[in-house]
Amino acid sequence: MLEIKVKPTERILTIFLLLIVVGALTIHPAQEISISTLGGDKLDTIFNIVSYLILFYFLLLYWKGFLYVATKSPLQFFLLAIIIFSLLWSEDLSSSLTYMRGLIRIYFLAVYLAMRYSLREQMRLIAWALGTAALLSMLFSAFLPDYSHKSPELLNMWSGIYGHKNELGYMMAWSAGVFLHLGLSSYRYRWLMWALCGISICLIILSRSTTSLAILLTMILLLPFYKFFKRTNYKLQVIMITSALMLLIIFSILLVNNAEALVGTSGKDLTFNGRSDLWELVISKILERPWLGYGFSAFWTSNAASNLRATYEWASNAHNGFLELLLELGLLGFLTFIAGFIRFFVMAMTRIIYVAKKPEDYWPMQMLILIVIINFSEARLLTPSWNWLMYITTSFSLTLDYQRNYYQSYMDSFYSSQK
């Protein structure tokens, strides 16, 4: 992909937007101490307003590019359209509108990133954001322990700047993954990449997030597997890709379900503990409205969820991203997402086989694996968060890369035939 020259001012604004999304500018004490950020909720509001203004400026500046990128990924656009139209059947219109604004804002940021930066440039930009979050989390937990977890079941577990140990572990899984691949790929500042990777891994351990450790272990073990793809013939590649797609979910379930044994944290509750009974009730609710669901972010604050909230007071979501998606958007939204996911998977694998030169080129596939594993125990598929940003912007970027490569190969074949 031809890299676009981006002015330093625009690059700084981009990093600022990423710092907002990654949560590095809004520091949260442990949730049992306060649910508000340090500085109050007004700080969140200010950053949200600033991010809207910056994105509006980019939209005015590159509106043709926004339209071009959005129309090149119709499945992602259609999924967003389903989310917006779910307002028509939402069980809680206020909740849907509140979360939808954030989701749309991140969608526009994803379009902008794909339009202005290559995948390799994006990795370096998100490294700035994640590295800042990792350093702040280390400093915050080490030097301000009064803001860390105090409840008996979470005592001595670090939460960093995120307010909960699982949130810290989740973000540090992203951070460790990015710096691992950059450390293996870059010659410039390699020592810094490995140092930040080490800090991220330490934070995962200190948060005692077994799922995040399992994700990191999976990414490391898969690195030599990707190299094998490039050495096989076309038919074998097709068979392997198909098999990998079928086994990915099964493998992820087994990995997370046995995370305790894998990372040696005996005596610690498993991620799935207490979830399976909740999932049975969630599935029964899905079957009541299977086609369109209850509306985006509308189920858990509606009367339809009253019996679930009474039985499981700790449940504010399905604790499974795929079940949460079925609850909110039904089979229509779920199948649209799955179609986009499969398309993402194929493009990411194609990149490994035909384009990859360094381990950083494996990152889109590693990202999909991270998303799948996380969403078997947490509901993060369609939330206005880092997960949604990374999924959408990488999907856009892979689409643009594929179309450029296809066009270039077509033109090369055309000119060859004219000789």
Side-chain angles (χ1 to χ4, degrees):
M1 175 181 176
L2 294 175
E3 294 186 355
I4 299 171
K5 290 185 178 180
V6 179
K7 294 180 180 179
T9 305
E10 184 178 342
R11 196 177 293 271
I12 291 171
L13 289 175
T14 303
I15 293 172
F16 181 75
L17 288 173
L18 290 172
L19 286 171
I20 292 175
V21 180
V22 84
L25 300 182
T26 51
I27 297 175
H28 289 77
Q31 63 179 22
E32 64 266 30
I33 296 173
S34 174
I35 59 173
S36 299
T37 59
L38 294 184
D41 293 334
K42 289 183 178 179
L43 192 63
D44 268 329
T45 304
I46 291 171
F47 284 131
N48 286 336
I49 292 172
V50 171
S51 65
Y52 279 118
L53 291 174
I54 295 172
L55 282 172
F56 183 68
Y57 168 71
F58 287 155
L59 183 59
L60 289 177
L61 206 61
Y62 307 116
W63 65 271
K64 290 183 180 179
F66 272 87
L67 287 175
Y68 176 81
V69 174
T71 55
K72 291 301 177 182
S73 294
L75 286 170
Q76 309 301 346
F77 184 79
F78 185 49
L79 180 61
L80 183 65
I82 294 172
I83 292 170
I84 294 172
F85 278 105
S86 73
L87 291 173
L88 298 175
W89 61 84
S90 173
E91 287 289 313
D92 186 344
L93 189 59
S94 175
S95 179
S96 293
L97 285 170
T98 299
Y99 288 98
M100 192 175 294
R101 289 197 299 269
L103 200 76
I104 293 172
R105 179 187 61 177
I106 290 178
Y107 179 87
F108 278 109
L109 176 57
V111 173
Y112 165 75
L113 289 172
M115 173 180 61
R116 298 292 291 166
Y117 302 97
S118 67
L119 277 167
R120 289 175 180 174
E121 287 179 308
Q122 288 175 36
M123 280 195 74
R124 282 148 184 81
L125 288 172
I126 66 176
W128 274 93
L130 290 168
T132 302
L135 289 172
L136 287 175
S137 291
M138 179 64 75
L139 293 172
F140 188 74
S141 289
F143 295 106
L144 295 171
D146 289 342
Y147 290 99
S148 297
H149 283 304
K150 302 298 181 187
S151 57
E153 66 273 14
L154 298 174
L155 194 61
N156 297 323
M157 298 181 188
W158 283 24
S159 58
I161 62 173
Y162 290 103
H164 195 278
K165 65 106 175 176
N166 285 342
E167 189 70 20
L168 175 64
Y170 160 73
M171 291 307 303
M172 289 306 102
W174 282 99
S175 182
V178 167
F179 288 115
L180 169 68
H181 290 77
L182 287 177
L184 291 170
S185 305
S186 303
Y187 294 100
R188 192 179 184 186
Y189 306 121
R190 176 174 282 183
W191 65 270
L192 181 59
M193 301 297 107
W194 284 117
L196 288 168
C197 181
I199 290 172
S200 302
I201 294 172
C202 286
L203 286 168
I204 291 173
I205 295 170
L206 290 168
S207 72
R208 301 188 191 177
S209 175
T210 53
T211 303
S212 300
L213 275 175
I215 288 170
L216 184 63
L217 177 63
T218 304
M219 287 193 288
I220 294 171
L221 293 176
L222 284 174
L223 284 172
F225 178 72
Y226 295 138
K227 288 186 177 182
F228 178 71
F229 267 98
K230 299 182 71 67
R231 301 193 184 104
T232 56
N233 60 51
Y234 175 75
K235 290 182 179 179
L236 185 57
Q237 286 170 356
V238 172
I239 294 171
M240 290 178 69
I241 290 172
T242 305
S243 301
L245 184 59
M246 294 172 62
L247 293 173
L248 178 59
I249 293 177
I250 299 172
F251 174 75
S252 301
I253 293 173
L254 293 173
L255 181 67
V256 175
N257 201 30
N258 292 280
E260 181 180 331
L262 287 170
V263 299
T265 54
S266 58
K268 183 181 179 298
D269 289 338
L270 284 172
T271 305
F272 280 3
N273 190 33
R275 264 75 167 174
S276 56
D277 294 335
L278 171 65
W279 292 342
E280 290 181 14
L281 291 177
V282 167
I283 291 171
S284 68
K285 287 295 182 180
I286 291 170
L287 294 176
E288 289 178 14
R289 298 182 64 169
W291 299 110
L292 298 177
Y294 295 84
F296 176 68
S297 291
F299 175 75
W300 293 96
T301 53
S302 70
N303 292 330
S306 57
N307 63 330
L308 270 75
R309 293 198 306 269
T311 307
Y312 302 97
E313 296 179 358
W314 47 267
S316 58
N317 58 67
H319 288 272
N320 181 289
F322 305 100
L323 291 179
E324 188 75 8
L325 176 55
L326 283 165
L327 267 178
E328 294 182 354
L329 304 178
L331 283 171
L332 177 63
F334 181 77
L335 293 176
T336 302
F337 174 83
I338 291 300
F341 184 91
I342 292 173
R343 186 170 181 268
F344 189 137
F345 181 92
V346 172
M347 288 189 297
M349 189 59 72
T350 301
R351 181 179 179 84
I352 290 173
I353 295 171
Y354 297 109
V355 179
K357 296 178 181 178
K358 298 179 179 180
E360 65 182 337
D361 296 318
Y362 306 151
W363 178 240
M365 178 59 69
Q366 299 277 56
M367 183 190 303
L368 274 187
I369 292 167
L370 189 159
I371 290 171
V372 168
I373 295 175
I374 282 287
N375 277 282
F376 273 112
S377 58
E378 300 182 33
R380 296 181 182 271
L381 279 184
L382 290 184
T383 57
S385 64
W386 186 257
N387 184 96
W388 170 251
L389 173 63
M390 291 295 96
Y391 176 76
I392 294 296
T393 193
T394 308
S395 178
F396 286 148
S397 300
L398 286 172
T399 300
L400 294 177
D401 274 4
Y402 176 80
Q403 290 179 343
R404 290 189 186 98
N405 292 333
Y406 177 82
Y407 176 78
Q408 186 62 47
S409 62
Y410 173 80
M411 294 304 296
D412 291 344
S413 300
F414 174 78
Y415 284 122
S416 298
S417 65
Q418 300 300 311
K419 292 180 180 180

